[in-house]
Amino acid sequence: MELNPFVIFIAAIFTSNILLTNFLGMCSFLSVSKEIESSLGLGFAVVFVMTFTSAINYAVYHYILVPLDIVYLQYIIFIIVIAAFVQLTEMVIERFSPVLYYSLGIFLPLITVNCAILGISLFMVIREYNFVQSVAFGAGGGLGWLLAILALAGIRAKVNYKFVPTGLQGAGLSLIITGLMALGFIGFSGIVVIQ
Amino acid sequence: MSKREIFMNSAFTENSVWKQILGICSALAITNLVRNSLVMGLGVIFTLALSSLTVSLIRSYIPKRIRMMVQTLIIASYVIIVDLFLKAFMPEISKALGPYVGLIITNCIIMGRLEAFAGKNSPIDSMIDGIGTGVGYSLVLIIISFVRELFGFGTLFGFQILGDWWTKWSIMVMAPSAFFMLAILIWIIKGPLSAKKG
C-alpha cells in the first residue's frame, strides 16, 4: 500500500481516531478524564509510548518474527515489548528528570494495559505499513487519543455541576458525550480516507 | 458461596461491563453484527475460564512482584489458541474481527478477574467465576449487537428480518451508535431497574 506517511498521520488523528472509531483505550479514557491536568499527562505518555513501540514492534515483527516464521507469537512478543519499553521509560525518566517523573510517572504503568497501544501495533501489521508509515501511524494515533481525552475532560469539567439523572451519572454520561464527539469527528471524514 | 451463587454473582449482579465499566473497548467495536459478537463472546469465555483456572492452579508459585507479567503471558497464550482456531475454522469471521481477537489480551475484565478472584480462590471456583464473567460480558455484547444489527442492516445473524419498507439507520452501523447504545443500557440497568429493587 503506497500511502503518504503524512496522510496516515492526519487520518490517524482525525478521520480514523483510534478512540472514537476503533474504541481502543476506553478504560483509562473513562477513568482518567475527570481532570484536565491528569488527562494531559496520560495523553502525552500515550503519544510517547505509542510512537516508539510502533517503531520497535515494526522492527521486531519484520526482522525477527517473519524470518523465523513465528508470526503466531506476535501477541506475546508485542505485549512484552510494550511492557519492557514502559518499564525502561519509567527508569530513564526517574533517573534524568524527577520533575517529569512525578507528573508523568504514575500514568506509565497504566499504559501497559491500554489496549490502544497494542491495537496500533496490530493494525500496523494488518494494514502492511512500512517503517515510516508505522511511525506516522503511531504518532498520529497517540495525538488523536490525546485530543479525544482532552476534549472529554474539558466537557466533563463543565457538565459536573449540572443536573444528571441517576443511573446516567459517571460512565453513562461520559459515553454519551463520547458518542456525540464521535458524531462530530465523522464530519472530518471528507479530508482523507484510510481503510 | 455455592458454585451457582458464584456464577450468578459474576454473570449478573457484579457484571463487569455495567457494574465496573471494564472491557468495553471490544464490547463496542465488534457489536454491529450479532454473529461477530457471539464468536467474540465465546472467545472471551474460553480465555477467561482457562486463564482463571491456570492462574488459580499456580497461584502459590507466582512471585508477587511479577504476577502481572505472568498473568499477561498466560492470557496471551490462550488468546493465541483462540486466534489460531478462528483462522483455521472460521477465516471469514477471523478477518472481520481483525485485531480485536488479539486485543482480548488487554481486555481489562480478564486481568481484573485474575487479580480479584483467581489469585485467591480454588481452581474450580475460579473457573466457574471466569465462565460467569464471560457469560455476563457476552450477554452485553449480544444485546447491543442485536439492536445495532436489527436497525442498522434490518437483519439478524445475516437473515433478513425487516422488509424493504424499513429505512436502514446507517448511524447504527457507525461508531457513535455503539457509545449511545452502551450508555442507554447502563442507564436502564442502573436507573429504573435498580430503583425498583431498592
Side-chain angles (χ1 to χ4, degrees), chain A residues 20 22-23 27 75 115 175-176 183, chain B residues 25 29 83 100 105-106 108 175:
Chain A
L20 297 172
N22 293 320
F23 311 100
C27 300
Y75 300 141
C115 38
L175 282 170
I176 290 190
L183 265 183
Chain B
C25 310
D83 186 46
Y100 292 101
I105 301 174
T106 46
C108 0

Side-chain angles (χ1 to χ4, degrees), chain B:
Chain B
M1 266 200 290
S2 72
K3 309 271 183 264
R4 196 187 134 81
E5 273 168 3
I6 295 176
F7 180 83
M8 296 306 277
N9 192 41
S10 49
F12 301 105
T13 342
E14 285 302 316
N15 184 295
S16 313
V17 179
W18 66 64
K19 254 284 158 44
Q20 302 161 9
I21 326 289
L22 286 180
I24 47 182
C25 310
S26 45
L28 298 171
I30 44 94
T31 48
N32 50 15
L33 291 173
V34 181
R35 195 188 55 176
N36 293 353
S37 319
L38 196 66
V39 174
M40 185 70 180
L42 290 176
V44 170
I45 294 175
F46 173 84
T47 319
L48 246 172
L50 288 179
S51 45
S52 286
L53 180 71
T54 319
V55 167
S56 176
L57 276 175
I58 59 169
R59 68 184 187 280
S60 44
Y61 303 105
I62 307 177
K64 261 247 141 49
R65 297 186 119 245
I66 56 158
R67 64 177 195 287
M68 292 289 207
M69 202 68 219
V70 176
Q71 288 166 355
T72 314
L73 290 184
I74 291 171
I75 299 171
S77 327
Y78 287 117
V79 170
I80 290 178
I81 298 177
V82 173
D83 186 46
L84 290 179
F85 178 85
L86 287 182
K87 275 202 179 110
F89 294 103
M90 309 171 185
E92 214 176 291
I93 295 184
S94 166
K95 210 162 204 173
L97 292 179
Y100 292 101
V101 180
L103 287 169
I104 296 178
I105 301 174
T106 46
N107 190 324
C108 0
I109 290 182
I110 303 184
M111 206 64 159
R113 286 330 284 173
L114 295 186
E115 274 288 291
F117 199 93
K120 302 179 194 115
N121 290 284
S122 71
I124 300 296
D125 284 359
S126 302
M127 193 165 164
I128 292 172
D129 173 74
I131 296 174
T133 312
V135 168
Y137 177 71
S138 315
L139 197 71
V140 175
L141 290 192
I142 288 169
I143 295 173
I144 296 180
S145 58
F146 184 88
V147 180
R148 285 183 74 189
E149 186 176 350
L150 187 63
F151 291 136
F153 294 105
T155 60
L156 283 178
F157 288 102
F159 296 108
Q160 199 72 35
I161 300 289
L162 299 171
D164 292 333
W165 51 271
W166 179 255
T167 312
K168 288 171 186 156
W169 300 4
S170 50
I171 187 73
M172 275 294 179
V173 186
M174 294 194 289
S177 76
F179 290 111
F180 295 138
M181 283 307 305
L182 186 62
I184 292 170
L185 187 71
I186 291 174
W187 189 5
I188 293 174
I189 289 170
K190 273 187 157 174
L193 284 188
S194 312
K196 248 183 243 161
K197 274 187 221 152

Side-chain angles (χ1 to χ4, degrees), chain A residues 33-46:
Chain A
S33 61
K34 285 187 196 100
E35 289 162 30
I36 295 187
E37 237 170 71
S38 42
S39 310
L40 201 63
L42 181 66
F44 276 116
V46 166

